[in-house]
Amino acid sequence: MTLDTPTLSAIAAMAVVTYLTRIAGLFVADRLVLTGRAKAAFDAIPPAVLVSVIAPTALTTGWAEAIAAAITAVAAFRLPLLATIAVGVASVVVLRNLI
Amino acid sequence: MTMDQSAPYFPTYRREIRAGLRDIAPVAVAAVPIGLLFGAVASAKGLSMLEVAMMSAFVYAGGAQFAVIEAWAYPVPIAALTFATLLINARHVLMGASLGPKMELTGIQRFIAFFFLTDEAWALSERRAMERPVTGAYWIAMALVLWANWTLSTTLGAVLGSFMGDPARIGADFAFTALFIGLVAGFGHSRVTLVTVGVSAAVAALVHHSIGAPWHVVSGALAGIAAAYLAAPEEART
């Protein structure tokens, strides 16, 4: 079992900046009173962030992933979350074998 | 961490905890193969089991951990890895600003609770906040399950390492993507949301292709937010 000092330093630095990003929003939230377009922009944060994280995998990896992502999206409006994930994983396996 | 002290009846706790467990269960299940994958990749890069466990427990940010492990080298490029972490996790600032006021927590409780802020717990809480306030009991039930699940599954992945074989073979690498698609669908399909999703996806994919990770997250998110601003009617509701 090894603990390497530079590795520990990197982990500590990562932990500190990550925690700071997590609490930083609490300092600005109380001063944000939003209406109209500004509110629409703020409400768009959740889907915008989630989509941006997965877009490269879903869209630019290959046809199997892109089609599986489309199938998953259709399933997502009809099925509970776990079933949606199952559909996504199953379709990517099938498509990778076909394509 | 104390639970929501303002809740007058004990059964409220129990109901909130149950709701939290019910909501987080599918997410935790989906995270297991991802955690195993992370642990296996990290140990292949030279991290020990204990180092993997510590990173998952203290950093606790899957997206940043994957990006950092991808770029891991010896000697460890501490500054570059820390900056990549900051970039990928910058989204937490917006997420916290949005969710913070919707939670029934006092000041100090928030600072403890938000250590556990993740995309998944946040997305579920935002969805719940559309109907009712997010209680401390609901949050901490989700948070502890997801945190323990991530720490254990990544550590186990580091142990199993090479025994796992190729995760792509069983489609485990796609679980994260499918999970996020499911979470996005939870935000509905209003015109503004569809515009946001389309613009974010296009910009993130383009930036990832032309510039590379981790820049696609920040740029895709900002583009989608700007698109929502422009697509929304100037006055009215969203």
Side-chain angles (χ1 to χ4, degrees):
Chain A
M1 193 52 53
T2 58
L3 278 174
D4 169 58
T5 306
T7 298
L8 280 189
S9 307
I11 291 171
M14 288 172 65
V16 169
V17 297
T18 301
Y19 183 63
L20 290 177
T21 62
R22 285 185 164 125
I23 59 168
L26 295 174
F27 293 100
V28 295
D30 296 338
R31 269 163 270 160
L32 287 174
V33 181
L34 299 173
T35 54
R37 285 180 145 178
K39 184 168 189 314
F42 209 68
D43 290 343
I45 297 167
V49 171
L50 293 171
V51 166
S52 300
V53 171
I54 58 162
T57 305
L59 299 179
T60 62
T61 311
W63 283 109
E65 287 76 11
I67 297 168
I71 294 170
T72 310
V74 172
F77 284 110
R78 289 163 178 77
L79 300 174
L81 197 51
L82 197 56
T84 301
I85 295 164
V87 167
V89 170
S91 46
V92 88
V93 170
V94 170
L95 286 161
R96 278 172 183 164
N97 283 306
L98 290 179
I99 296 173
Chain B
M1 176 63 205
T2 53
M3 304 287 180
D4 174 24
Q5 309 240 323
S6 67
Y9 302 113
F10 185 66
T12 311
Y13 284 172
R14 300 183 59 171
R15 205 177 53 227
E16 291 290 311
I17 289 172
R18 225 179 358 248
L21 296 177
R22 186 196 59 219
D23 286 356
I24 205 66
V27 176
V29 171
V32 168
I34 299 162
L36 292 173
L37 174 65
F38 174 79
V41 173
S43 84
K45 283 279 187 171
L47 274 78
S48 71
M49 188 195 89
L50 192 55
E51 288 164 349
V52 170
M54 288 179 72
M55 188 190 283
S56 290
F58 296 126
V59 181
Y60 184 48
Q65 286 179 237
F66 267 107
V68 158
I69 274 309
E70 196 78 14
W72 201 272
Y74 293 95
V76 183
I78 297 174
L81 297 181
T82 306
F83 187 62
T85 303
L86 178 66
L87 269 184
I88 293 169
N89 289 334
R91 68 186 188 279
H92 288 148
V93 179
L94 300 174
M95 288 159 52
S98 167
L99 182 61
K102 297 168 190 163
M103 290 180 73
E104 281 184 345
L105 290 175
T106 61
I108 187 72
Q109 289 175 334
R110 279 183 197 180
F111 286 100
I112 299 165
F114 270 52
F115 169 78
F116 297 99
L117 182 70
T118 56
D119 296 315
E120 294 85 356
W122 169 78
L124 290 167
S125 297
E126 288 281 355
R127 200 170 67 184
R128 188 170 177 83
M130 292 196 281
E131 292 159 16
R132 71 198 85 196
V134 177
T135 61
Y138 175 80
W139 175 266
I140 210 68
M142 284 201 308
L144 289 181
V145 168
L146 204 54
W147 178 82
N149 185 68
W150 177 248
T151 303
L152 290 175
S153 60
T154 52
T155 307
L156 187 61
V159 177
L160 297 178
S162 54
F163 299 112
M164 289 221 317
D166 181 10
R169 190 172 45 84
I170 53 165
D173 57 319
F174 198 74
F176 186 71
T177 306
L179 165 66
F180 273 34
I181 291 172
L183 291 174
V184 169
F187 290 96
H189 49 273
S190 70
R191 192 180 59 90
V192 174
T193 305
L194 290 179
V195 169
T196 303
V197 167
V199 170
S200 286
V203 171
L206 268 174
V207 169
H208 185 267
H209 186 73
S210 56
I211 300 170
W215 302 99
H216 64 286
V217 178
V218 180
S219 50
L222 290 177
I225 292 162
Y229 181 88
L230 295 175
E234 229 163 303
E235 283 296 312
R237 54 178 192 89
T238 52

